Amino acid sequence: MAMVSTYCPQFSGLRRSCPKLDNSQSQCFVQHISSQFRLSSSRKPCRAVVAMAGSGKFFVGGNWKCNGTKDSITKLVSDLNSAKLESDVDVVVAPPFVYLDLVKASLTDRIEVSAQNSWVGKGGAFTGEISVEQIKDLGCKWVILGHSERRHIIGEDDQFIGKKAAYALSEGLGVIACIGELLEEREAGKTFDVCFQQLKAFADAVPSWDNIVIAYEPVWAIGTGKVATPEQAQEVHVAVRDWLKKNVSEEVASKTRIIYGGSVNGGNCAELAKKEDIDGFLVGGASLKGPEFATIVNSVTAKKVAA
């Protein structure tokens, strides 16, 4: 292994680039990749699952975005309250701000409630914003930050998002930290570059990774019906986990859940869930349908095997 101990594959774009290797080098290189990119190889699994590189609990979030009325949300909450959900999954839903209190007061405690955004600091004269303190006052435990619609429509940049995450974490909220590339960035081979830059902005600002879930959401797959293949999603999740290992710590890389978002539905969730580095989902449109959202939550069974 000494021959390859200093070899470091470079992420120059979508895929890892490496020089051509002869047969003997290839065998060692495969062993090297096994040890470097499969963080699970030296860890004992925390439960009877297959294809789980991280050590965290499966996590499924539902982002309701700017959808719903009192009547439709009351119906959705009723459907969620009656759904049978696997026990070994953290489940969170993010209603529109104006319905946070309604949902928190009527939704089963089995499901936690998240806000979809928060202000960068303490509340005050910031028209139209919602503060972390207000979110906590309603009993919510999570906030979604860095979603592509906030980045590309509202114009929030990486550093601003990082500061928002840092403040939310410092006040005790968990953060669902979104990253992901545009279609033109993927086609230009810049997927990893974009994701790593967005990750770095979080890493430079946050006090701890203990209450962060990373959501990889390729922008070209959000609400378009186009879904990254399980292999495409897995490839980026592997790279993200490796980035955490190299730039934060091996412990953080293992513990941090990396979930996938982008047109996830009841029909494709099981195949995606089988992938080793996909630790759950952030769901958009399908989270507005109680039974389908329950199917996605229960896709954790795709990872289970006999002990």
Side-chain angles (χ1 to χ4, degrees):
M1 289 301 294
M3 179 181 67
V4 296
S5 61
T6 58
Y7 181 84
C8 179
Q10 297 298 314
F11 289 97
S12 59
L14 177 60
R15 296 184 180 276
R16 296 184 291 276
S17 60
C18 60
K20 292 183 178 179
L21 306 176
D22 62 30
N23 288 341
S24 62
Q25 288 177 311
S26 295
Q27 184 175 2
C28 291
F29 178 66
V30 169
Q31 294 171 351
H32 174 75
I33 289 298
S34 245
S35 63
Q36 294 298 313
F37 283 85
R38 293 273 50 83
L39 299 180
S40 60
S41 59
S42 60
R43 285 196 301 274
K44 294 180 180 179
C46 60
R47 58 189 183 281
V49 298
V50 67
M52 197 78 175
S55 60
K57 194 175 183 181
F58 203 72
F59 185 104
V60 177
N63 181 9
W64 298 356
K65 304 191 179 184
C66 189
N67 291 296
T69 63
K70 283 194 294 185
D71 287 345
S72 68
I73 285 176
T74 298
K75 172 63 166 61
L76 178 53
V77 168
S78 176
D79 288 343
L80 293 174
N81 286 343
S82 62
K84 293 182 179 179
L85 305 177
E86 291 290 317
S87 61
D88 52 348
V89 185
D90 286 335
V91 186
V92 177
V93 295
F97 292 133
V98 293
Y99 300 122
L100 281 174
D101 200 21
L102 169 65
V103 173
K104 188 69 182 70
S106 56
L107 185 64
T108 173
D109 291 339
R110 169 70 183 84
I111 302 174
E112 293 184 341
V113 179
S114 170
Q116 297 179 18
N117 183 41
S118 63
W119 179 237
V120 71
K122 190 175 177 63
F126 306 107
T127 302
E129 289 294 336
I130 181 171
S131 72
V132 169
E133 292 78 10
Q134 290 168 331
I135 294 168
K136 289 173 58 183
D137 189 42
L138 292 176
C140 301
K141 296 182 179 179
W142 292 90
V143 62
I144 299 171
L145 295 174
H147 194 281
S148 65
E149 290 150 7
R150 301 293 307 180
R151 293 177 185 271
H152 299 295
I153 298 175
I154 307 301
E156 295 182 359
D157 64 26
D158 294 341
Q159 287 67 39
F160 185 65
I161 293 164
K163 290 177 181 177
K164 289 167 72 168
Y167 186 75
L169 290 165
S170 72
E171 293 297 312
L173 279 185
V175 171
I176 301 171
C178 300
I179 63 172
E181 81 284 4
L182 297 165
L183 179 60
E184 54 265 36
E185 292 167 337
R186 170 166 281 267
E187 291 176 340
K190 296 180 179 179
T191 294
F192 294 154
D193 296 336
V194 171
C195 291
F196 293 168
Q197 178 180 314
Q198 293 169 349
L199 279 172
K200 186 177 186 301
F202 284 115
D204 288 346
V206 301
S208 167
W209 288 81
D210 287 347
N211 293 311
I212 297 177
V213 172
I214 296 172
Y216 168 59
E217 295 196 297
V219 182
W220 48 271
I222 298 175
T224 63
K226 298 178 181 178
V227 186
T229 66
E231 292 73 24
Q232 286 174 321
Q234 168 68 7
E235 182 180 34
V236 178
H237 284 227
V238 169
V240 168
R241 202 178 300 280
D242 189 67
W243 189 94
L244 290 173
K245 180 183 178 182
K246 292 177 178 177
N247 294 279
V248 185
S249 73
E250 186 165 356
E251 180 184 11
V252 166
S254 172
K255 290 169 61 176
T256 302
R257 272 89 58 93
I258 306 170
I259 63 177
Y260 171 77
S263 296
V264 177
N265 58 48
N268 58 35
C269 56
E271 287 304 309
L272 287 161
K274 290 177 183 176
K275 290 299 181 180
E276 190 170 350
D277 287 271
I278 296 179
D279 301 324
F281 302 109
L282 184 58
V283 186
S287 70
L288 299 172
K289 305 168 186 176
E292 185 170 10
F293 185 64
T295 296
I296 297 169
V297 170
N298 293 337
S299 68
V300 68
T301 58
K303 289 187 180 290
K304 292 183 179 179
V305 294

